[in-house]
Amino acid sequence: IIMSTASSPATVIPDTTPPPLPLPLEGGFKRNSMDDLSLSPKRPKTNTEHVEYFHDTPEAEDAVDFAMDLLAREQQFIPQEPTLQFSVVPHRESIGLTSNEFVGQVCATVKARELPDGDAFARASVDVVVALDVSGSMRVEKLDLCKKTLCLLLRELHNEDRFGLISFSDEARIEVPVQKVNEENKRLALHTIEHLSVRGRTNIASAISLASQMANSVTNPNKVRSVFLLTDGNANSGFTDAKDLIELTSIFVEKGHNPHTPPITLHTFGYGPEPDQKLLMDMAKVTSGGSFYCVRDNAQVASAFGDAIGGILSVVAQDVILTISIPEEAAKYGAEIISVHHDKKKELPNGAFQINLGDIYAEESRDIIFEVALMAPTKTSQDDPSLGHALVELSYMDTIKHCYIGPLTCTANISRPSNNLVSWPNRYVAVQWMRVRTAKAISAAEELAKLGNIDEAKASLSKWMTEFNRESFEVAANEDPLIVQLGIDLKECLEVLKDKNHNVFAENELGVRMQAHLSQRCSEPITGKRNVYRTGQKSLRAQSFKKGSGSTLTR
């Protein structure tokens, strides 16, 4: 309805003029008019079904080379699915000038393709550094589960991936240096993991510091770089203040980073009831694409790790940047950006906004809702389709095609006829707009509960639930999977507030749900629990890690 897409010269597009192909001749083949070489079958074709294969001769080698060349030429012109699909759609495509509506919502959607089937090497190679808590509280069973999970991780990595391991208690130490996962290094790493044992207290600061040094010590890092922090306790050694640890994590992300070095993502895992889960969540949030896993039961250790691994092993785009601006002509008639509902937004000097979406996994979507002040055009310009309310640009590094794409552009056009009519809302945008407001409602309830205003928090969440149910019914979205998920989470959050006074558990429960809907990324450790953001790759590896077998995709 409103999409207008164009690709910049930076996008790699093959020449559409096909090269000369070989011509079939009587009894053989000839490459093309510029080649001297003619090839004939080993013997004349007969009507028998007997097949005689080529012998190891120069002619046979030439035939193989020719066949491979022909196949490559054919594949070059097979249309390829774009790694990211991009669109911009308004909540309402037409809003009359006399309708008393002055603000319109717009949704910019980025949807990632599936990972190519049957080719483990289609994914980007990864550098993984694991920081494993081996303090006394990890005990034998919990540490054994983590050790088994690390062994499963090594089975998922191929020769171009790198793996490093540090253990930490009162201090951090390098157990396995960051190195390629060849058979010998894998054997040594498995031996080291097997002999890990518990010791001391919990110094998270030392773990983050050493992990950053290890991750940044690689001269030519892989495209995807991640640190996994696994702990079951509170920071009780070294730096223990949450603010200091979050700041240290932020420094760890930026240290050694330059435009030519891929960013580092932190994934944190809190085991059992003891960890400071809010701290671990906030540490992960300061990194681009970081996630936190709340692992309450030992049975969830492997599946949580598998879910995270399924993500980093399916990265299809990096440094995904959206830029939202108002066209110059639209600004003349009063159009302007009112707000952008994303926690990674950054306002530019020219009034435009830039959103860093970080890494995107295969099958994931990102939906950025922003609001614009509507134009009040003159009569001569009302029907001009070129006067869009907003211009959205997308650029990213394509890790499948190994090239930089963008900027791709889409324009958000909202018609402004001379009447008081308002078009029916777009259902998809309406659902995403409810997602954003649900996350904000949960956040507001969490803040009220922190201050001890439990009753006010309940009332606030109940009020939004009523509005949520009404809106989802009006746009006939009651059975939409995301609406169902949002409804379940709202009810569970309200139950948490009803059953308990505000405490750490309630704060964590609300925070985890809020972050999942804001980031549109699954960090659910329970494989059987509903989560609309769980991708096929995450589900596959979560289930296979839980079974203890690992997937067979990369063996």
Side-chain angles (χ1 to χ4, degrees):
I1 297 172
I2 52 81
M3 291 182 288
S4 172
T5 306
S7 58
S8 76
T11 306
V12 178
I13 302 177
D15 183 4
T16 56
T17 304
L21 295 176
L23 303 174
L25 299 176
E26 183 79 25
F29 293 90
K30 187 175 181 180
R31 288 183 184 268
N32 55 50
S33 58
M34 299 181 64
D35 294 315
D36 295 325
L37 178 64
S38 295
L39 299 177
S40 298
K42 192 68 180 174
R43 63 190 178 97
K45 183 177 178 180
T46 68
N47 291 327
T48 66
E49 295 182 356
H50 175 70
V51 177
E52 181 175 330
Y53 293 96
F54 284 116
H55 296 288
D56 291 332
T57 64
E59 291 83 0
E61 294 177 0
D62 286 334
V64 172
D65 291 342
F66 164 64
M68 296 298 293
D69 178 63
L70 177 60
L71 180 61
R73 290 188 183 193
E74 290 176 346
Q75 290 179 340
Q76 181 180 1
F77 297 100
I78 297 175
Q80 293 188 353
E81 179 184 356
T83 298
L84 296 183
Q85 295 181 340
F86 174 41
S87 64
V88 176
V89 180
H91 187 203
R92 300 178 187 271
E93 66 176 16
S94 178
I95 302 176
L97 285 170
T98 59
S99 64
N100 291 324
E101 295 283 343
F102 305 103
V103 176
Q105 292 80 37
V106 180
C107 180
T109 297
V110 179
K111 169 68 176 175
R113 61 168 290 177
E114 295 181 355
L115 205 62
D117 291 334
D119 185 2
F121 291 91
R123 68 168 175 84
S125 298
V126 302
D127 293 343
V128 181
V129 176
V130 177
L132 176 61
D133 183 355
V134 294
S135 61
S137 60
M138 284 293 285
R139 302 183 182 90
V140 175
E141 182 184 5
K142 199 175 297 180
L143 181 59
D144 283 347
L145 286 169
C146 288
K147 288 159 68 172
K148 182 179 180 181
T149 302
L150 292 180
C151 293
L152 293 174
L153 166 62
L154 284 168
R155 292 177 62 180
E156 295 292 323
L157 302 179
H158 59 56
N159 291 344
E160 292 303 312
D161 297 322
R162 294 188 183 92
F163 172 80
L165 173 66
I166 67 173
S167 63
F168 70 96
S169 54
D170 292 299
E171 61 181 10
R173 65 176 66 161
I174 297 176
E175 301 289 354
V176 178
V178 181
Q179 55 194 356
K180 292 287 184 72
V181 187
N182 56 41
E183 289 304 315
E184 177 62 17
N185 290 340
K186 185 182 294 187
R187 184 185 64 80
L188 293 173
L190 291 171
H191 177 78
T192 300
I193 291 169
E194 182 183 355
H195 289 83
L196 291 173
S197 59
V198 296
R199 63 177 191 271
R201 305 176 74 189
T202 307
N203 189 336
I204 293 178
S206 67
I208 288 295
S209 179
L210 185 56
S212 68
Q213 295 176 40
M214 287 183 68
N216 285 303
S217 66
V218 180
T219 304
N220 296 306
N222 281 322
K223 292 180 180 179
V224 179
R225 303 197 296 168
S226 293
V227 169
F228 285 23
L229 176 68
L230 289 67
T231 182
D232 78 330
N234 292 295
N236 54 25
S237 181
F239 288 103
T240 58
D241 183 73
K243 184 178 179 180
D244 291 338
L245 288 168
I246 294 168
E247 184 177 354
L248 179 64
T249 304
S250 180
I251 295 172
F252 139 75
V253 172
E254 297 298 330
K255 184 178 179 181
H257 181 66
N258 60 66
H260 304 291
T261 302
I264 300 172
T265 298
L266 175 66
H267 301 276
T268 57
F269 300 78
Y271 297 131
E274 296 179 7
D276 187 341
Q277 295 178 11
K278 186 177 187 311
L279 167 63
L280 295 175
M281 190 188 318
D282 290 342
M283 289 172 64
K285 281 170 57 179
V286 299
T287 71
S288 179
S291 56
F292 163 68
Y293 288 81
C294 177
V295 186
R296 302 195 185 282
D297 189 274
N298 285 350
Q300 302 167 9
V301 171
S303 57
F305 205 80
D307 184 273
I309 290 298
I312 69 168
L313 294 186
S314 62
V315 172
V316 296
Q318 290 185 301
D319 294 326
V320 182
I321 303 293
L322 275 182
T323 304
I324 305 170
S325 61
I326 300 295
E328 185 177 347
E329 288 298 313
K332 291 180 182 179
Y333 298 112
E336 64 175 322
I337 300 172
I338 300 297
S339 59
V340 178
H341 299 282
H342 197 279
D343 57 355
K344 297 291 185 181
K345 69 187 177 201
K346 176 183 178 182
E347 186 170 6
L348 303 179
N350 62 356
F353 281 82
Q354 192 174 81
I355 302 100
N356 184 353
L357 300 178
D359 295 349
I360 294 185
Y361 303 154
E363 305 170 54
E364 281 192 326
S365 293
R366 295 291 181 270
D367 299 280
I368 292 76
I369 296 287
F370 61 96
E371 298 180 84
V372 295
L374 298 173
M375 289 190 291
T378 63
K379 289 185 178 180
T380 58
S381 63
Q382 287 177 24
D383 297 324
D384 186 352
S386 65
L387 293 180
H389 276 72
L391 179 68
V392 185
E393 297 177 304
L394 169 70
S395 60
Y396 62 96
M397 174 57 66
D398 190 322
T399 63
I400 292 180
K401 300 176 183 175
H402 310 289
C403 63
Y404 184 80
I405 303 293
L408 310 177
T409 62
C410 280
T411 302
N413 294 319
I414 302 175
S415 176
R416 299 285 280 147
S418 298
N419 55 44
N420 63 352
L421 301 179
V422 176
S423 65
W424 193 253
N426 177 283
R427 183 184 298 175
Y428 184 87
V429 180
V431 169
Q432 295 303 325
W433 183 219
M434 283 188 277
R435 171 185 61 83
V436 170
R437 287 179 291 161
T438 296
K440 291 181 181 293
I442 294 174
S443 177
E446 180 188 13
E447 291 301 319
L448 288 170
K450 278 184 187 179
L451 299 174
N453 301 325
I454 303 296
D455 290 337
E456 191 175 347
K458 296 175 187 175
S460 172
L461 208 54
S462 295
K463 182 180 179 181
W464 166 244
M465 282 188 66
T466 301
E467 177 68 13
F468 171 84
N469 290 330
R470 182 187 65 79
E471 284 193 27
S472 58
F473 175 78
E474 286 180 350
V475 296
N478 303 69
E479 297 182 3
D480 183 277
L482 179 53
I483 290 296
V484 174
Q485 177 83 64
L486 292 170
I488 291 172
D489 287 348
L490 281 170
K491 290 178 182 177
E492 290 185 354
C493 286
L494 196 57
E495 287 301 316
V496 168
L497 291 172
K498 285 181 178 178
D499 293 344
K500 301 174 182 290
N501 291 322
H502 178 68
N503 55 24
V504 174
F505 173 79
E507 183 177 339
N508 290 337
E509 286 295 303
L510 270 61
V512 167
R513 285 168 172 75
M514 175 194 68
Q515 187 57 35
H517 293 303
L518 287 177
S519 66
Q520 293 182 275
R521 174 163 287 175
C522 173
S523 57
E524 174 57 60
I526 304 174
T527 55
K529 188 171 182 179
R530 180 191 183 94
N531 192 298
V532 293
Y533 305 118
R534 181 181 279 125
T535 65
Q537 293 292 321
K538 277 176 162 279
S539 179
L540 170 67
R541 286 186 167 84
Q543 293 181 31
S544 62
F545 269 49
K546 182 180 179 179
K547 293 177 181 176
S549 61
S551 80
T552 59
L553 294 181
T554 58
R555 290 179 194 167

